[in-house]
Amino acid sequence: MANIDVSTYFFTAAVPVCNEGVVEHRSLTGAKGVIKSSPIHIVREILETLPTALQSHATEEIGLNSPFSRNLRTHFTRFVILDQPNFNGRDHSNALVNAVMKVDLLAAQPVDQITCPYIFWTIDFDLPDPAGAGEPRRYFEELWGQMEPELRSIFQYCYGFDQVKDAASFATYILRCQIETTMPFHDYWYIPPKLSQISIPGLALIPGIGALMLLGSLIAGFLRWTGWRWAADFVGWSGWTWAPWAGLGVLILGLIIDYYWVMAKGRKPYPASPGADLRNVLKALYLQQVFTRFATAQQRRDRTKWGAEFRTFLTATRPGDLDGPTQSPGVIRSQPGDAA
Amino acid sequence: MTNATNTPSSATLLDLADIQGGILRTYGDGFPKGRNFYLTVRDARKGRAFVEALLPKITTAARWKDPKRDEPLLRTRNPRVKDIVRAQGEPDYPGRVQLMKPKVTLNIGFTFTGLLALGVPTRTLRGMPDDFIDGMEARAALLGDDPFLDKRDAVWRNSKGDRRVHILLTLYAQQNPDGTACPELKAETDAIVALCKKSRGGVVLLDGVGPDNAQWQDLSAVMRQDGENWWPTNKEHFGLSDGFGDPVFSGQFSGEAEQVRVAGGGKLVYDPKKKTYKWEPLATGEFLLGYPDEAQEIPGAAMPIAFSRNGAFMAYRKLHEAVGTFNRYIDEQAGRYARMFHVPKAEAVETIKAKMVGRWEDGVPLTIAPTYADWQRFRADLDKARAEKNKARLAEIALKFTNFTYASDPAGSKCPVTSHLRRANPRDGLGPTFTADGLSGDGSAIINRRRILRRGLPYGQYDANAPTDDGDHGIIFMAICTNLFRQFEFVQQQWMQYGLDFNAGSDTCPVIGNHPKADEPKMVIPVDPEVGKLPFICDRVPQLVEPRGGDYFFLPSMTALRMIGMGIIDPT
């Protein structure tokens, strides 16, 4: 299943927005009065005013963190509004063919349209179980518990959203809008990944046998045709008229088996790089920063105290404990106080 | 991109509540009063706050309910195509009805320098078309405005530096029975003035409008008195009916309304199966950015696409009408015409006016009623249908105001090829070839890319008993399209200010064209060659219409307005 790769679920959904008519609302940005606008207009305004992660100086000043930072499995998420498919102009055609076929180039070609705008939603989240048991339902139920108000405001104008009552119905709703993710993006391995190998001799075995039978029969046939019948008889090929057909059959069968074998291997999720889930990443980011500060501080200390200081450092930062002091999600740096 | 089955898709779906109202609908006689404001932005942040504050007031194209929508077709004015649809109880516009018809509409446009002053990113601005970046003054020579630059209102003459016009606010208001504007117009005016004041110099309302340097441009339909009541007419100050035959584009009207309005309003398309031409709505992209246009291309627009989509460009022009000169000239020419053709003077007056415009003074097209006698018959037919309350006949007559072609009149003996009407929209009349049955669809492909949505209202008044050229009266003309150069400027330059496409040399439009004395301006009224009479030449045509200012504006969608107001345009 292409949705799962590197112990991560790559979720894609297109949620249709009922854009009929007008909704009245107050501006989210402070303008007085009631704004009458289309539902998709408000969806855009909600998305535009949804806090992003505190990952720049400007957002750090605002101080409002992304609601997705409440979830310790979410790596990355993005909302996009799809209004209409982009129109790329007429289909290209050959001028000579047009002339011969008498194509009327002034006749307009049909243009694709979608009947309503869609909220396109992509998310990468960690899988506690690499096989993805119970996912992505479990993730969405978790998310509903952590950011229900925000999810409601984003999806309030979507077709059928009024049926969403709780976490389970939200998960059901979003799963109905899911599209298979066929091209996930993930981080690099910093060591060579342990990939499930495919055996080249294994691949070659069955088609190879078929090819050899076919080749042998062809050689025998050629020898007989050139009058060297004795040579063919000498190696025992004289009566094997079924051999070329059997060879061809085995060759084709072997290629088919190889094809499905390669495809089955290809469908296997790429293994996750060690420590790539969000909690490990946050811990690593935290350790990297506190260790830098620790190392800077030790420069000014007496070498003899370094050992004791490091033991204190390890006790305080608990490198193996993902629950322990760590970087908060959705921020760009750990604060010095976090080290304690 | 075409769909898999290569079958035509359903009608264009528009997000009506995202599109500014003035683009899709003519506010027309429902809003016969108006007021336009010109503002300059001196502080980007305060300017954005001003735009944000205006957002709740902007009128969109969302459908509304008109509680006073009266029985159509039987009214005293000439039946209109939209009345047919209304009579059948069909909606004019698509979409669900949730709003009531407002008392006052408000729409907003920005010049290029206005967008710059509001802090729109450079990368977005550089995607704007050259014509819009230049603005109307820089294009004066092309438009034929150069002889009149000094006559413009002060607000336009001084539109530079810290007095550059950045924002245009157009308000249209309903009227009281006594012909005055409804009180909401003043309330909205006060609100705009207060918003400017609140910005503490960030957004300044510019004065210098008209001869008294007023703070805004007042507009009013020409009125007709009926006892105590005043009714708006569709006339302009020359006494000619205006506002017929606006283009019809896909998505603009509801399906039923579109079917009726498209005849004469859309484009002519050849149907190879039936071997005839039929009317179809024009491509949405000719009038709204972000949609395919008649060339099956997306018209050039600024990025991000959400900034341009559902927006349009507008040429805004204040056109002064020399009413005294017009009346004198028609009178003088009519005297000669009456003698030459042995007709009564009154008939000659009406005929010359009709031949200049292409319609009789009440809007009946010359193509439908080529002679004075035909016109009288048409009117008698109309009066009879009205008296009999014959709605079917009235509907038939209403269609005749727009549904016609010129193929049967290549020489212009019915409707002169150089009349204002035929210049503005030559329909099938410019084709290089004519088919055996007299049709010329080839011309249509060129014309389909030169259509504009015409909006606006007359301004000012004059003494009907002593019409003069002085004073401040004329038309605020607004042309909406997606490509000012290809559509508005082309029509203005090539068809209005030049006559070669009509085999009329350098003869300009008899009504709105430039008529410098040195050019010995004239207009030829052709006659049917078989009649054996001489054509009539209106000679020494005086200057009848003069531009008094204007500029090019971008009319953003509500999405783009919000982006401008919030300052969050990401062009990458």
Side-chain angles (χ1 to χ4, degrees):
Chain A
M1 191 165 69
N3 291 321
I4 292 177
D5 214 4
V6 290
S7 287
T8 305
Y9 200 100
F10 296 88
F11 182 84
T12 309
V15 191
V17 180
C18 178
N19 200 41
E20 277 182 53
V22 178
V23 288
E24 298 193 356
H25 65 108
R26 298 210 165 267
S27 167
L28 298 179
T29 52
K32 284 181 184 167
V34 175
I35 299 181
K36 298 180 201 70
S37 48
S38 59
I40 196 69
H41 182 96
I42 301 171
V43 174
R44 284 183 197 276
E45 185 155 325
I46 287 160
L47 292 177
E48 279 157 3
T49 49
L50 197 69
T52 56
L54 305 179
Q55 288 174 336
S56 64
H57 288 299
T59 52
E60 279 183 327
E61 276 176 34
I62 294 168
L64 293 173
N65 206 342
S66 165
F68 287 94
S69 68
R70 294 168 210 159
N71 182 285
L72 274 175
R73 289 165 67 192
T74 311
H75 276 268
F76 173 84
T77 183
R78 169 169 284 186
F79 290 100
V80 176
I81 304 291
L82 292 180
D83 280 306
Q84 285 292 332
N86 198 25
F87 177 67
N88 291 317
R90 292 179 71 93
D91 291 340
H92 289 270
S93 56
N94 186 305
L96 294 175
V97 172
N98 289 341
V100 173
M101 303 296 288
K102 294 188 177 167
V103 175
D104 180 6
L105 293 173
L106 294 179
Q109 287 179 342
V111 176
D112 275 349
Q113 289 190 76
I114 49 178
T115 51
C116 65
Y118 283 78
I119 301 174
F120 186 79
W121 191 16
T122 61
I123 325 167
D124 305 358
F125 59 87
D126 290 330
L127 291 174
D129 167 24
E135 300 290 359
R137 171 169 287 279
R138 185 179 144 188
Y139 172 79
F140 285 110
E141 291 182 359
E142 209 173 277
L143 207 60
W144 183 260
Q146 288 156 337
M147 51 178 291
E148 179 191 335
E150 288 89 351
L151 291 172
R152 276 194 185 281
S153 63
I154 294 167
F155 294 108
Q156 60 183 321
Y157 299 111
C158 292
Y159 281 103
F161 189 73
D162 48 357
Q163 290 156 21
V164 173
K165 307 288 179 219
D166 51 17
S169 55
F170 174 70
T172 306
Y173 179 81
I174 287 296
L175 292 186
R176 278 170 60 198
C177 303
Q178 185 178 9
I179 301 166
E180 189 189 13
T181 306
T182 51
M183 200 164 142
F185 291 90
H186 46 72
D187 53 344
Y188 291 109
W189 278 62
Y190 58 92
I191 50 171
K194 287 177 189 164
L195 296 176
S196 157
Q197 299 286 335
I198 198 159
S199 156
I200 300 294
L203 276 176
L205 181 67
I206 301 174
I209 291 169
L212 283 175
M213 286 172 75
L214 191 59
L215 187 66
S217 306
L218 288 174
I219 292 170
F222 179 75
L223 290 176
R224 292 161 81 94
W225 176 65
T226 52
W228 285 43
R229 184 175 176 164
W230 62 270
D233 290 345
F234 182 73
V235 288
W237 288 87
S238 51
W240 287 21
T241 49
W242 53 269
W245 301 109
L248 189 63
V250 172
L251 177 64
I252 292 169
L253 181 73
L255 290 175
I256 291 171
I257 290 169
D258 283 1
Y259 171 79
Y260 282 100
W261 192 12
V262 169
M263 294 308 283
K265 282 276 184 188
R267 265 196 290 274
K268 281 199 174 169
Y270 202 78
S273 60
D277 67 58
L278 183 66
R279 296 176 72 216
N280 268 297
V281 169
L282 289 171
K283 185 76 188 188
L285 287 169
Y286 165 76
L287 283 176
Q288 192 182 43
Q289 291 163 86
V290 287
F291 186 75
T292 308
R293 285 195 286 270
F294 170 78
T296 312
Q298 299 320 307
Q299 287 189 120
R300 299 175 182 277
R301 294 217 168 95
D302 187 346
R303 268 172 181 269
T304 56
K305 291 181 180 166
W306 283 6
E309 289 288 340
F310 189 56
R311 273 189 290 279
T312 315
F313 171 81
L314 292 179
T315 316
T317 57
R318 302 206 296 279
D321 183 359
L322 295 183
D323 295 327
T326 184
Q327 175 157 315
S328 306
V331 300
I332 199 165
R333 68 186 120 224
S334 298
Q335 298 305 317
D338 295 348
Chain B
M1 183 165 52
T2 54
N3 57 25
T5 55
N6 217 34
T7 50
S9 45
S10 55
T12 307
L13 303 156
L14 298 180
D15 184 358
L16 298 177
D18 195 44
I19 302 165
Q20 286 208 57
I23 300 176
L24 255 68
R25 53 161 63 92
T26 45
Y27 291 124
D29 58 352
F31 300 88
K33 298 287 168 180
R35 199 165 271 181
N36 294 339
F37 299 86
Y38 318 107
L39 304 116
T40 195
V41 177
R42 291 180 187 161
D43 179 304
R45 196 174 54 78
K46 291 172 180 170
R48 287 196 290 269
F50 179 84
V51 173
E52 269 280 288
L54 276 183
L55 260 185
K57 296 172 181 284
I58 307 280
T59 312
T60 66
R63 227 177 108 195
W64 62 47
K65 187 174 165 61
D66 179 0
K68 289 189 193 159
R69 196 158 121 172
D70 51 358
E71 179 69 7
L73 281 171
L74 294 174
R75 291 179 302 185
T76 51
R77 73 185 297 166
N78 289 337
R80 297 160 302 173
V81 175
K82 72 174 177 188
D83 295 329
I84 302 174
V85 185
R86 289 186 170 190
Q88 291 164 351
E90 303 290 358
D92 299 8
Y93 295 92
R96 207 161 55 183
V97 186
Q98 287 163 280
L99 305 175
M100 290 306 285
K101 183 179 183 177
K103 290 294 234 182
V104 181
T105 68
L106 171 63
N107 288 115
I108 187 168
F110 302 90
T111 56
F112 178 79
T113 46
L115 295 174
L116 185 67
L118 285 162
V120 172
T122 310
R123 186 158 171 186
T124 300
L125 293 173
R126 66 192 281 187
M128 287 291 184
D130 296 347
D131 38 74
F132 173 66
I133 294 173
D134 283 350
M136 195 175 274
E137 184 176 347
R139 316 284 280 189
L142 189 155
L143 300 171
D145 289 356
D146 37 351
F148 311 103
L149 286 178
D150 293 340
K151 291 189 172 182
R152 287 178 301 164
D153 285 354
V155 67
W156 300 111
R157 268 200 325 270
N158 304 330
S159 178
K160 43 187 82 73
D162 69 350
R163 288 191 59 86
R164 181 76 176 87
V165 175
H166 288 151
I167 300 178
L168 167 73
L169 297 180
T170 56
L171 275 70
Y172 289 93
Q174 298 190 27
Q175 70 166 25
N176 301 317
D178 66 356
T180 55
C182 65
E184 285 83 354
L185 182 62
K186 184 180 180 307
E188 287 302 325
T189 304
D190 292 345
I192 289 165
V193 172
L195 264 182
C196 290
K197 214 171 179 181
K198 197 182 154 198
S199 78
R200 294 176 184 276
V203 178
V204 178
L205 179 58
L206 295 169
D207 54 11
V209 179
D212 302 323
N213 286 330
Q215 272 195 300
W216 47 72
Q217 179 70 57
D218 269 318
L219 312 170
S220 171
V222 174
M223 293 288 164
R224 175 175 61 81
Q225 194 174 8
D226 174 17
E228 290 292 299
N229 290 339
W230 290 81
W231 298 97
T233 67
N234 62 346
K235 305 241 184 246
E236 41 66 64
H237 292 301
F238 291 153
L240 305 163
S241 298
D242 196 12
F244 298 94
D246 230 21
V248 172
F249 64 91
S250 186
Q252 186 183 12
F253 296 108
S254 72
E256 301 82 5
E258 183 185 280
Q259 277 177 20
V260 179
R261 286 190 167 218
V262 77
K267 60 180 175 186
L268 281 168
V269 178
Y270 187 68
D271 183 348
K273 285 179 194 157
K274 294 181 183 167
K275 299 200 170 170
T276 54
Y277 288 91
K278 60 177 178 177
W279 291 102
E280 280 184 10
L282 287 150
T284 314
E286 294 290 319
F287 307 100
L288 277 176
L289 294 165
Y291 298 85
D293 63 19
E294 279 297 325
Q296 294 245 285
E297 292 162 348
I298 299 263
M303 294 308 280
I305 194 70
F307 182 81
S308 297
R309 200 180 138 80
N310 287 333
F313 291 104
M314 176 175 77
Y316 177 96
R317 289 168 79 71
K318 179 173 178 172
L319 300 175
H320 175 77
E321 295 182 270
V323 181
T325 302
F326 178 78
N327 287 345
R328 277 195 302 279
Y329 179 72
I330 299 290
D331 191 66
E332 173 210 308
Q333 295 291 311
R336 200 159 57 83
Y337 186 93
R339 287 193 297 280
M340 255 181 86
F341 291 92
H342 311 293
V343 294
K345 177 83 177 292
E347 179 179 333
V349 167
E350 291 301 336
T351 307
I352 287 175
K353 276 203 265 187
K355 293 285 182 183
M356 284 169 82
V357 179
R359 292 181 185 273
W360 298 95
E361 59 86 12
D362 60 354
V364 175
L366 277 175
T367 312
I368 300 297
T371 66
Y372 187 81
D374 293 334
W375 180 41
Q376 295 306 320
R377 270 194 294 279
F378 186 98
R379 289 177 66 115
D381 195 17
L382 178 60
D383 289 343
K384 184 166 167 259
R386 251 193 214 124
E388 292 171 356
K389 300 196 173 181
N390 183 345
K391 285 191 180 177
R393 181 70 191 133
L394 281 167
E396 234 170 80
I397 292 172
L399 271 179
K400 288 181 188 284
F401 280 82
T402 49
N403 188 11
F404 53 85
T405 55
Y406 297 118
S408 64
D409 183 29
S413 57
K414 289 181 189 166
C415 179
V417 181
T418 54
S419 64
H420 179 72
L421 180 74
R422 227 171 137 162
R423 283 171 180 266
N425 177 12
R427 296 176 184 236
D428 59 338
L430 282 186
T433 55
F434 285 98
T435 58
D437 49 4
L439 288 167
S440 159
D442 293 348
S444 185
I446 301 167
I447 287 137
N448 297 341
R449 306 217 72 202
R450 313 276 181 249
R451 303 299 308 279
I452 48 174
L453 298 169
R454 290 172 303 138
R455 304 286 183 254
L457 260 187
Y459 68 90
Q461 296 291 337
Y462 65 90
D463 182 357
N465 299 317
T468 67
D469 296 356
D470 305 332
D472 201 33
H473 48 254
I475 279 189
I476 296 295
F477 171 84
M478 297 189 275
I480 296 174
C481 53
T482 49
N483 188 322
L484 290 162
F485 175 66
R486 189 188 75 227
Q487 292 164 279
F488 165 71
E489 288 187 343
F490 184 95
V491 173
Q492 174 71 17
Q493 183 190 30
Q494 294 294 317
W495 289 350
M496 293 299 164
Q497 302 286 25
Y498 197 33
L500 204 62
D501 281 2
F502 311 102
N503 294 324
S506 296
D507 283 358
T508 61
C509 172
V511 185
I512 69 160
N514 287 1
H515 306 142
K517 277 193 181 129
D519 287 358
E520 298 171 351
K522 67 181 187 300
M523 188 224 176
V524 181
I525 300 177
V527 288
D528 191 340
E530 290 181 13
V531 174
K533 284 188 177 172
L534 291 172
F536 184 82
I537 300 171
C538 296
D539 58 347
R540 288 169 295 175
V541 186
Q543 190 66 38
L544 300 175
V545 173
E546 284 175 3
R548 289 282 160 91
D551 214 330
Y552 290 158
F553 291 90
F554 174 56
L555 309 177
S557 66
M558 296 301 283
T559 301
L561 281 174
R562 195 188 66 245
M563 290 164 114
I564 294 170
M566 290 167 81
I568 51 154
I569 304 158
D570 180 2
T572 54

